[in-house]
Amino acid sequence: SRRNNLRNRHYKSMMKTSIKKVLIADKKDVSNLLNHAISTIDRVCGKGIIHKNRAANHISKLTKYVNSL
């Protein structure tokens, strides 16, 4: 269980970092970073580390934020 906990923490951290990069990005770089963040979130969701609805909420909020720029 400790090994699984370490793996889960790694993926969650990776996901949070990609989300933060989108939130602090300039307008010109944001679309590429958004695609990368969505890919990361989907990957983490596919591994069962976060629930699919939580992943959908993250993606929705990020997309909404980027569209408001």
Side-chain angles (χ1 to χ4, degrees):
S1 82
R2 189 167 297 183
R3 183 190 63 206
N4 290 343
N5 180 261
L6 287 172
R7 187 183 306 131
N8 289 348
R9 274 196 308 196
H10 166 74
Y11 282 115
K12 281 184 180 179
S13 172
M14 190 172 65
M15 183 183 77
K16 288 177 187 175
T17 304
S18 68
I19 289 171
K20 287 176 192 170
K21 283 182 181 177
V22 171
L23 296 178
I24 63 170
D26 295 332
K27 195 170 184 177
K28 59 182 178 178
D29 305 329
V30 79
S31 64
N32 190 23
L33 289 171
L34 176 66
N35 289 337
H36 185 263
I38 289 174
S39 169
T40 305
I41 293 168
D42 282 337
R43 197 173 333 130
V44 171
C45 175
K47 291 181 185 299
I49 294 168
I50 63 169
H51 193 272
K52 63 178 183 175
N53 289 349
R54 182 176 167 94
N57 286 342
H58 276 304
I59 292 171
S60 173
K61 286 177 183 174
L62 277 178
T63 307
K64 194 173 176 182
Y65 170 77
V66 169
N67 287 339
S68 74
L69 291 178

Coordinates of all heavy atoms in Angstrom, one line a residue:
S1 N 0.8 -1.2 0.0 CA 0.0 0.0 0.0 C 0.9 1.3 0.0 O 0.5 2.3 -0.5 CB -0.9 0.0 1.2 OG -0.3 0.4 2.4
R2 N 2.0 1.2 0.6 CA 2.9 2.3 0.6 C 3.4 2.6 -0.8 O 3.5 3.8 -1.2 CB 4.1 2.0 1.5 CG 5.0 3.2 1.8 CD 5.9 3.0 2.9 NE 5.2 2.8 4.1 CZ 5.7 2.6 5.3 NH1 7.0 2.6 5.5 NH2 4.9 2.4 6.4
R3 N 3.7 1.6 -1.6 CA 4.1 1.7 -2.9 C 3.0 2.4 -3.8 O 3.3 3.3 -4.5 CB 4.5 0.4 -3.5 CG 5.0 0.4 -5.0 CD 5.1 -0.9 -5.6 NE 3.8 -1.5 -5.7 CZ 3.5 -2.8 -5.7 NH1 4.4 -3.7 -5.6 NH2 2.2 -3.2 -5.8
N4 N 1.8 1.9 -3.6 CA 0.7 2.5 -4.3 C 0.5 4.0 -3.9 O 0.2 4.9 -4.7 CB -0.6 1.8 -4.0 CG -0.6 0.4 -4.7 OD1 0.2 0.2 -5.6 ND2 -1.5 -0.5 -4.2
N5 N 0.7 4.3 -2.6 CA 0.5 5.7 -2.1 C 1.6 6.6 -2.8 O 1.2 7.7 -3.2 CB 0.7 5.7 -0.6 CG 0.5 7.1 0.0 OD1 1.5 7.7 0.2 ND2 -0.7 7.5 0.1
L6 N 2.8 6.1 -2.9 CA 3.8 6.9 -3.5 C 3.5 7.1 -5.0 O 3.7 8.2 -5.5 CB 5.2 6.2 -3.4 CG 5.8 6.2 -2.0 CD1 7.1 5.3 -2.0 CD2 6.2 7.6 -1.6
R7 N 3.0 6.1 -5.7 CA 2.7 6.2 -7.1 C 1.5 7.2 -7.2 O 1.6 8.1 -8.1 CB 2.3 4.9 -7.7 CG 2.1 4.9 -9.2 CD 1.6 3.6 -9.7 NE 2.5 2.5 -9.4 CZ 2.0 1.3 -8.9 NH1 0.7 1.1 -8.7 NH2 2.9 0.4 -8.6
N8 N 0.5 7.1 -6.4 CA -0.6 8.0 -6.5 C -0.2 9.4 -6.2 O -0.7 10.4 -6.9 CB -1.7 7.6 -5.5 CG -2.4 6.3 -5.9 OD1 -2.3 5.8 -7.0 ND2 -3.2 5.8 -4.9
R9 N 0.6 9.6 -5.2 CA 1.1 11.0 -4.9 C 1.9 11.6 -6.1 O 1.7 12.8 -6.4 CB 2.0 11.0 -3.7 CG 1.2 11.1 -2.4 CD 2.1 11.5 -1.3 NE 3.2 10.6 -1.2 CZ 4.0 10.5 -0.1 NH1 3.8 11.2 0.9 NH2 5.0 9.7 -0.1
H10 N 2.7 10.8 -6.8 CA 3.4 11.2 -7.9 C 2.5 11.7 -9.0 O 2.7 12.8 -9.6 CB 4.4 10.1 -8.5 CG 4.9 10.4 -9.8 ND1 5.9 11.3 -10.0 CD2 4.6 9.9 -11.0 CE1 6.2 11.4 -11.3 NE2 5.4 10.5 -12.0
Y11 N 1.5 10.9 -9.4 CA 0.6 11.3 -10.4 C -0.3 12.5 -10.1 O -0.5 13.4 -10.9 CB -0.3 10.1 -10.8 CG 0.5 9.1 -11.7 CD1 0.7 7.8 -11.3 CD2 0.9 9.5 -13.0 CE1 1.4 6.9 -12.1 CE2 1.6 8.6 -13.8 CZ 1.8 7.3 -13.3 OH 2.5 6.4 -14.1
K12 N -0.7 12.6 -8.8 CA -1.5 13.7 -8.4 C -0.7 15.0 -8.4 O -1.2 16.0 -8.9 CB -2.1 13.5 -7.0 CG -3.3 12.6 -6.9 CD -3.8 12.5 -5.5 CE -5.0 11.6 -5.5 NZ -5.6 11.5 -4.1
S13 N 0.6 14.9 -8.0 CA 1.5 16.0 -8.0 C 1.7 16.5 -9.5 O 1.7 17.7 -9.8 CB 2.8 15.7 -7.4 OG 3.7 16.7 -7.5
M14 N 1.9 15.5 -10.4 CA 2.1 15.9 -11.8 C 0.9 16.6 -12.3 O 1.0 17.6 -13.1 CB 2.4 14.5 -12.5 CG 2.8 14.7 -13.9 SD 3.3 13.1 -14.6 CE 1.8 12.2 -14.6
M15 N -0.3 16.1 -12.0 CA -1.5 16.7 -12.5 C -1.7 18.1 -11.9 O -2.0 19.0 -12.7 CB -2.7 15.8 -12.0 CG -4.0 16.3 -12.5 SD -5.4 15.4 -11.8 CE -5.5 16.0 -10.2
K16 N -1.4 18.3 -10.6 CA -1.6 19.7 -10.0 C -0.6 20.6 -10.7 O -0.9 21.8 -10.9 CB -1.3 19.6 -8.5 CG -2.4 18.9 -7.8 CD -2.1 18.9 -6.3 CE -3.1 18.0 -5.5 NZ -2.6 17.9 -4.1
T17 N 0.6 20.2 -10.9 CA 1.7 21.0 -11.6 C 1.2 21.5 -12.9 O 1.4 22.6 -13.3 CB 3.0 20.3 -11.6 OG1 3.4 19.9 -10.3 CG2 4.1 21.2 -12.2
S18 N 0.7 20.5 -13.7 CA 0.2 20.9 -15.1 C -0.9 21.9 -15.0 O -1.0 22.8 -15.9 CB -0.1 19.7 -15.9 OG -1.3 19.0 -15.4
I19 N -1.8 21.8 -14.0 CA -2.9 22.7 -13.9 C -2.4 24.1 -13.5 O -2.8 25.1 -14.1 CB -3.9 22.2 -12.8 CG1 -4.6 21.0 -13.4 CG2 -4.9 23.3 -12.4 CD1 -5.5 20.2 -12.3
K20 N -1.4 24.1 -12.6 CA -0.9 25.4 -12.2 C -0.2 26.1 -13.3 O -0.2 27.4 -13.4 CB 0.1 25.2 -11.0 CG -0.5 24.9 -9.7 CD 0.5 24.6 -8.6 CE -0.2 24.0 -7.4 NZ 0.8 23.5 -6.5
K21 N 0.5 25.3 -14.2 CA 1.2 25.9 -15.3 C 0.2 26.6 -16.3 O 0.5 27.7 -16.8 CB 2.0 24.9 -16.1 CG 3.3 24.5 -15.4 CD 4.0 23.5 -16.3 CE 5.3 23.0 -15.6 NZ 6.0 22.0 -16.4
V22 N -1.0 26.1 -16.4 CA -2.0 26.7 -17.3 C -2.5 28.0 -16.6 O -2.7 29.0 -17.3 CB -3.2 25.7 -17.5 CG1 -4.4 26.4 -18.2 CG2 -2.8 24.5 -18.3
L23 N -2.7 28.0 -15.3 CA -3.2 29.1 -14.6 C -2.3 30.3 -14.6 O -2.7 31.5 -14.5 CB -3.6 28.8 -13.2 CG -4.7 27.7 -13.1 CD1 -5.0 27.4 -11.6 CD2 -6.0 28.2 -13.7
I24 N -1.0 30.1 -14.7 CA 0.0 31.2 -14.7 C 0.5 31.5 -16.0 O 1.4 32.4 -16.1 CB 1.1 31.0 -13.7 CG1 2.0 29.8 -14.1 CG2 0.6 30.8 -12.3 CD1 3.3 29.6 -13.3
A25 N 0.1 30.9 -17.1 CA 0.7 31.0 -18.4 C 0.2 32.3 -19.1 O -0.8 32.9 -18.8 CB 0.3 29.8 -19.3
D26 N 1.0 32.7 -20.0 CA 0.6 33.9 -20.9 C -0.4 33.4 -21.9 O -0.5 32.2 -22.2 CB 1.9 34.4 -21.6 CG 2.9 35.0 -20.7 OD1 2.5 35.5 -19.6 OD2 4.1 35.0 -21.0
K27 N -1.1 34.4 -22.5 CA -2.1 34.0 -23.4 C -1.6 33.3 -24.6 O -2.3 32.4 -25.2 CB -2.8 35.3 -23.9 CG -4.2 35.1 -24.5 CD -4.9 36.4 -24.7 CE -6.3 36.2 -25.3 NZ -7.0 37.4 -25.4
K28 N -0.4 33.5 -25.1 CA 0.1 32.9 -26.3 C 0.5 31.4 -26.0 O 0.4 30.6 -26.9 CB 1.3 33.7 -26.9 CG 2.4 33.8 -25.9 CD 3.6 34.6 -26.5 CE 4.7 34.8 -25.5 NZ 5.8 35.5 -25.9
D29 N 0.9 31.1 -24.8 CA 1.3 29.7 -24.5 C 0.2 28.9 -24.0 O 0.4 27.6 -23.8 CB 2.5 29.8 -23.4 CG 3.6 30.7 -23.9 OD1 3.9 30.8 -25.1 OD2 4.2 31.3 -23.0
V30 N -0.9 29.4 -23.6 CA -1.9 28.7 -22.8 C -2.5 27.5 -23.6 O -2.8 26.5 -22.9 CB -2.9 29.7 -22.3 CG1 -4.0 30.1 -23.3 CG2 -3.6 29.2 -21.0
S31 N -2.7 27.6 -24.9 CA -3.4 26.5 -25.6 C -2.6 25.3 -25.6 O -3.2 24.2 -25.4 CB -3.8 27.0 -27.0 OG -2.6 27.2 -27.7
N32 N -1.3 25.4 -25.8 CA -0.5 24.2 -25.7 C -0.4 23.6 -24.3 O -0.5 22.4 -24.2 CB 0.9 24.6 -26.2 CG 1.8 23.4 -26.4 OD1 1.4 22.3 -26.6 ND2 3.1 23.6 -26.3
L33 N -0.3 24.5 -23.3 CA -0.3 24.0 -21.9 C -1.6 23.3 -21.5 O -1.7 22.4 -20.8 CB 0.1 25.1 -21.0 CG 1.5 25.6 -21.1 CD1 1.7 26.8 -20.2 CD2 2.5 24.5 -20.6
L34 N -2.7 23.9 -22.1 CA -4.0 23.3 -21.8 C -4.1 21.9 -22.3 O -4.6 21.0 -21.6 CB -5.2 24.2 -22.4 CG -6.6 23.7 -22.2 CD1 -7.0 23.6 -20.7 CD2 -7.6 24.5 -23.0
N35 N -3.7 21.7 -23.6 CA -3.7 20.4 -24.1 C -2.9 19.4 -23.3 O -3.3 18.2 -23.1 CB -3.2 20.4 -25.6 CG -4.2 21.1 -26.5 OD1 -5.4 21.1 -26.2 ND2 -3.7 21.6 -27.6
H36 N -1.7 19.9 -22.9 CA -0.9 19.0 -22.1 C -1.5 18.7 -20.7 O -1.5 17.5 -20.3 CB 0.5 19.7 -21.8 CG 1.5 18.9 -21.1 ND1 1.7 19.0 -19.7 CD2 2.3 17.9 -21.5 CE1 2.6 18.1 -19.4 NE2 3.0 17.4 -20.4
A37 N -2.2 19.7 -20.1 CA -2.8 19.4 -18.8 C -4.0 18.5 -19.0 O -4.2 17.6 -18.1 CB -3.3 20.8 -18.3
I38 N -4.8 18.6 -20.0 CA -5.9 17.7 -20.3 C -5.4 16.3 -20.5 O -6.0 15.3 -19.9 CB -6.8 18.2 -21.5 CG1 -7.5 19.5 -21.1 CG2 -7.7 17.1 -21.9 CD1 -8.3 20.1 -22.2
S39 N -4.3 16.2 -21.2 CA -3.7 14.9 -21.4 C -3.3 14.2 -20.1 O -3.5 13.0 -19.9 CB -2.6 15.0 -22.4 OG -1.8 13.8 -22.4
T40 N -2.7 15.0 -19.3 CA -2.2 14.5 -18.0 C -3.4 14.1 -17.1 O -3.3 13.1 -16.5 CB -1.4 15.6 -17.3 OG1 -0.3 16.0 -18.1 CG2 -0.8 15.1 -16.0
I41 N -4.4 14.9 -17.1 CA -5.6 14.6 -16.2 C -6.2 13.3 -16.7 O -6.6 12.5 -15.9 CB -6.6 15.8 -16.3 CG1 -6.0 17.0 -15.6 CG2 -7.9 15.4 -15.6 CD1 -6.7 18.3 -15.8
D42 N -6.4 13.2 -18.0 CA -7.0 12.0 -18.6 C -6.1 10.7 -18.2 O -6.6 9.7 -18.0 CB -7.1 12.1 -20.1 CG -8.3 12.9 -20.5 OD1 -9.2 13.1 -19.7 OD2 -8.3 13.4 -21.6
R43 N -4.8 10.9 -18.3 CA -3.9 9.8 -18.0 C -4.1 9.4 -16.5 O -4.2 8.2 -16.2 CB -2.5 10.2 -18.3 CG -1.5 9.0 -18.4 CD -0.1 9.4 -18.8 NE -0.1 10.6 -19.6 CZ 0.8 11.6 -19.4 NH1 1.6 11.6 -18.4 NH2 0.8 12.7 -20.1
V44 N -4.1 10.4 -15.6 CA -4.3 10.1 -14.2 C -5.7 9.4 -13.9 O -5.8 8.5 -13.2 CB -4.1 11.4 -13.4 CG1 -4.5 11.2 -11.9 CG2 -2.7 11.8 -13.5
C45 N -6.7 9.9 -14.6 CA -8.0 9.3 -14.5 C -8.0 7.9 -15.0 O -8.6 7.0 -14.4 CB -9.0 10.2 -15.2 SG -10.7 9.6 -15.3
G46 N -7.4 7.7 -16.1 CA -7.4 6.3 -16.7 C -6.7 5.3 -15.8 O -7.0 4.1 -15.9
K47 N -5.8 5.7 -15.0 CA -5.1 4.8 -14.1 C -5.9 4.6 -12.8 O -5.5 3.8 -11.9 CB -3.7 5.4 -13.7 CG -2.7 5.4 -14.9 CD -1.4 5.9 -14.5 CE -0.4 6.0 -15.6 NZ -0.1 4.8 -16.3
G48 N -7.0 5.3 -12.7 CA -7.9 5.1 -11.5 C -7.5 5.9 -10.3 O -7.9 5.5 -9.2
I49 N -6.6 6.9 -10.5 CA -6.1 7.6 -9.3 C -7.1 8.7 -8.9 O -7.2 8.9 -7.7 CB -4.7 8.2 -9.6 CG1 -3.7 7.0 -9.8 CG2 -4.2 9.1 -8.5 CD1 -2.4 7.3 -10.4
I50 N -7.8 9.3 -9.8 CA -8.9 10.2 -9.5 C -10.1 9.7 -10.2 O -10.0 9.0 -11.3 CB -8.6 11.7 -9.9 CG1 -8.4 11.8 -11.4 CG2 -7.4 12.2 -9.1 CD1 -8.3 13.3 -11.8
H51 N -11.2 10.1 -9.7 CA -12.5 9.7 -10.3 C -12.8 10.4 -11.6 O -12.3 11.5 -11.8 CB -13.6 10.0 -9.3 CG -15.0 9.3 -9.6 ND1 -15.9 9.9 -10.5 CD2 -15.5 8.1 -9.3 CE1 -16.9 9.1 -10.6 NE2 -16.7 8.0 -9.9
K52 N -13.5 9.8 -12.5 CA -13.7 10.4 -13.8 C -14.5 11.7 -13.7 O -14.2 12.6 -14.5 CB -14.4 9.4 -14.8 CG -15.8 9.0 -14.3 CD -16.5 8.1 -15.4 CE -17.9 7.8 -14.9 NZ -18.6 7.0 -15.9
N53 N -15.4 11.8 -12.8 CA -16.1 13.1 -12.6 C -15.2 14.2 -12.1 O -15.3 15.4 -12.5 CB -17.3 12.9 -11.7 CG -18.4 12.1 -12.2 OD1 -18.4 11.8 -13.4 ND2 -19.3 11.7 -11.4
R54 N -14.3 13.9 -11.2 CA -13.3 14.9 -10.8 C -12.4 15.3 -11.9 O -12.1 16.5 -12.1 CB -12.4 14.3 -9.7 CG -11.4 15.2 -9.1 CD -10.7 14.6 -7.9 NE -9.5 15.4 -7.5 CZ -9.6 16.3 -6.6 NH1 -10.7 16.6 -5.9 NH2 -8.4 17.0 -6.3
A55 N -12.0 14.4 -12.8 CA -11.2 14.7 -14.0 C -12.0 15.6 -14.9 O -11.5 16.6 -15.4 CB -10.8 13.4 -14.7
A56 N -13.3 15.3 -15.1 CA -14.2 16.1 -15.9 C -14.3 17.5 -15.4 O -14.3 18.5 -16.1 CB -15.5 15.5 -16.1
N57 N -14.4 17.6 -14.1 CA -14.5 19.0 -13.4 C -13.3 19.8 -13.6 O -13.3 21.0 -13.9 CB -14.8 18.8 -11.9 CG -16.3 18.4 -11.6 OD1 -17.1 18.5 -12.5 ND2 -16.5 17.9 -10.4
H58 N -12.1 19.2 -13.4 CA -10.8 19.9 -13.7 C -10.7 20.4 -15.1 O -10.4 21.5 -15.3 CB -9.7 18.9 -13.4 CG -9.3 18.9 -11.9 ND1 -9.0 19.9 -11.1 CD2 -9.2 17.8 -11.1 CE1 -8.7 19.6 -9.9 NE2 -8.8 18.2 -9.9
I59 N -11.0 19.5 -16.0 CA -10.9 19.8 -17.5 C -11.9 21.0 -17.8 O -11.6 21.9 -18.5 CB -11.2 18.6 -18.3 CG1 -10.0 17.6 -18.2 CG2 -11.3 19.0 -19.8 CD1 -10.2 16.3 -18.8
S60 N -13.1 20.9 -17.3 CA -14.1 21.9 -17.5 C -13.7 23.2 -17.0 O -13.8 24.3 -17.7 CB -15.5 21.5 -16.9 OG -16.4 22.5 -17.0
K61 N -13.2 23.3 -15.8 CA -12.8 24.5 -15.2 C -11.6 25.2 -15.9 O -11.6 26.4 -16.1 CB -12.5 24.3 -13.7 CG -13.7 24.1 -12.8 CD -13.3 23.9 -11.4 CE -14.6 23.6 -10.6 NZ -14.3 23.2 -9.2
L62 N -10.7 24.3 -16.3 CA -9.5 24.8 -17.0 C -9.9 25.4 -18.4 O -9.5 26.5 -18.8 CB -8.5 23.7 -17.2 CG -7.5 23.4 -16.1 CD1 -6.6 22.3 -16.5 CD2 -6.7 24.6 -15.7
T63 N -10.8 24.7 -19.1 CA -11.2 25.1 -20.4 C -12.0 26.4 -20.3 O -11.8 27.4 -21.1 CB -12.1 24.1 -21.1 OG1 -11.4 22.8 -21.1 CG2 -12.4 24.4 -22.5
K64 N -12.8 26.5 -19.3 CA -13.6 27.7 -19.0 C -12.7 28.9 -18.7 O -12.9 30.0 -19.2 CB -14.6 27.5 -17.9 CG -15.7 28.5 -17.7 CD -16.6 28.0 -16.6 CE -17.7 29.1 -16.4 NZ -18.6 28.6 -15.3
Y65 N -11.7 28.7 -17.9 CA -10.7 29.7 -17.6 C -10.0 30.2 -18.9 O -9.8 31.4 -19.1 CB -9.7 29.2 -16.6 CG -8.5 30.1 -16.4 CD1 -8.7 31.3 -15.6 CD2 -7.3 29.8 -16.9 CE1 -7.6 32.1 -15.4 CE2 -6.2 30.7 -16.8 CZ -6.4 31.8 -16.0 OH -5.3 32.7 -15.8
V66 N -9.5 29.2 -19.7 CA -8.7 29.6 -20.9 C -9.6 30.4 -21.9 O -9.2 31.3 -22.5 CB -8.2 28.3 -21.5 CG1 -7.6 28.6 -22.9 CG2 -7.1 27.8 -20.7
N67 N -10.9 30.0 -22.0 CA -11.8 30.7 -22.9 C -12.1 32.1 -22.4 O -12.5 33.0 -23.2 CB -13.1 29.9 -23.1 CG -12.9 28.6 -23.9 OD1 -11.9 28.6 -24.7 ND2 -13.8 27.7 -23.7
S68 N -12.0 32.3 -21.1 CA -12.3 33.7 -20.6 C -11.1 34.6 -20.8 O -11.2 35.8 -20.5 CB -12.6 33.6 -19.1 OG -11.4 33.3 -18.3
L69 N -9.9 34.1 -21.2 CA -8.8 35.0 -21.4 C -8.9 35.9 -22.6 O -9.5 35.5 -23.6 CB -7.5 34.2 -21.5 CG -7.0 33.5 -20.2 CD1 -5.8 32.6 -20.5 CD2 -6.7 34.5 -19.1

